[in-house]
Amino acid sequence: GENVEQHPSTLSVQEGDSAVIKCTYSDSASNYFPWYKQELGKRPQLIIDIRSNVGEKKDQRIAVTLNKTAKHFSLHITETQPEDSAVYFCAAINSGGYQKVTFGTGTKLQVIP
Amino acid sequence: DAGVIQSPRHEVTEMGQEVTLRCKPISGHDYLFWYRQTMMRGLELLIYFNNNVPIDDSGMPEDRFSAKMPNASFSTLKIQPSEPRDSAVYFCAISSRGTEAFFGQGTRLTVV
């Protein structure tokens, strides 16, 4: 089955700096990679996703890159703000088979004002 | 927020009691997932259904856990008997082929 590794587990940055979270996956058949943000006491919510037919996607201050050959994908947050503080999860999905959603272990991001 | 309704939002029960968590998803999805979240283990997939049929229950920790999905609009996760180590937040999530998982608000379970 799919195995998703996520690093780092915790990340502290100064407000205004960039943050990068990296994930690797094992199943070459995975073709959809969503990223979730979970604020304290709330549910995980989708913030951005990428499919295997593109290498990069950007939405304002967040971007995701995908390297299919190396089987890794990354989340980039620029100009971080205190409200970016949360736990971020990556996930890998093979939408061609049974759509089992395998999550990474999460990254706790703290943005220091 | 109306996409997936979980109940109860909070549950406190004594060890040994039966606990039933409920999930009411909107129609139009193909998949339903039950996750457990703890500080130690993060988000664990317990079981998932495709068109109401259980596909993979390998994440169910023990025989004390069982899940059902009698129709597309309702699913339950039952723990009997409950133990303190079952304390966690339990999420129900839905998706369709090629789309992301949409989470309910979760049920915070405390077993004392």
Side-chain angles (χ1 to χ4, degrees), chain A residues 32 34 36 38 41-46 49 51 87 89 93-105, chain B residues 1 31 33 35 37 42-43 45 48 50 55-56 58 91 95-105 108:
Chain A
Y32 176 55
Y36 291 81
Q38 186 179 25
K42 297 189 177 181
R43 61 182 172 164
Q45 290 190 283
L46 179 76
D49 56 13
R51 299 188 187 273
V87 178
F89 294 93
I93 301 168
N94 173 8
S95 59
Y98 283 121
Q99 191 148 299
K100 183 175 181 178
V101 184
T102 304
F103 284 92
T105 49
Chain B
D1 287 347
Y31 293 86
F33 307 84
Y35 288 92
Q37 187 174 37
L43 266 172
L45 176 63
Y48 75 102
N50 176 227
I55 301 302
D56 185 349
S58 59
F91 286 104
S95 76
S96 296
R97 182 171 297 282
T99 69
E100 78 280 9
F102 182 85
F103 285 79
Q105 299 282 37
R108 181 173 295 278

Side-chain angles (χ1 to χ4, degrees), chain A residues 6-102:
Chain A
Q6 183 172 347
H7 301 280
S9 57
T10 59
L11 179 60
S12 291
V13 300
Q14 292 289 331
E15 182 178 358
D17 287 350
S18 295
V20 180
I21 302 170
K22 298 182 179 182
C23 289
T24 61
Y25 61 99
S26 60
D27 186 355
S28 57
S30 289
N31 55 3
Y32 176 55
F33 307 92
W35 285 87
Y36 291 81
K37 176 183 180 182
Q38 186 179 25
E39 297 176 344
L40 188 63
K42 297 189 177 181
R43 61 182 172 164
Q45 290 190 283
L46 179 76
I47 54 171
I48 194 168
D49 56 13
I50 191 167
R51 299 188 187 273
S52 58
N53 58 346
V54 298
E56 184 173 359
K57 184 176 179 180
K58 190 173 182 180
D59 182 4
Q60 299 182 353
R61 294 188 298 107
I62 59 174
V64 59
T65 59
L66 170 65
N67 183 328
K68 286 190 296 183
T69 303
K71 296 200 193 77
H72 66 71
F73 55 114
S74 302
L75 177 71
H76 305 252
I77 306 174
T78 59
E79 301 172 24
T80 54
Q81 301 169 3
E83 51 264 38
D84 295 330
S85 296
V87 178
Y88 291 81
F89 294 93
C90 62
I93 301 168
N94 173 8
S95 59
Y98 283 121
Q99 191 148 299
K100 183 175 181 178
V101 184
T102 304

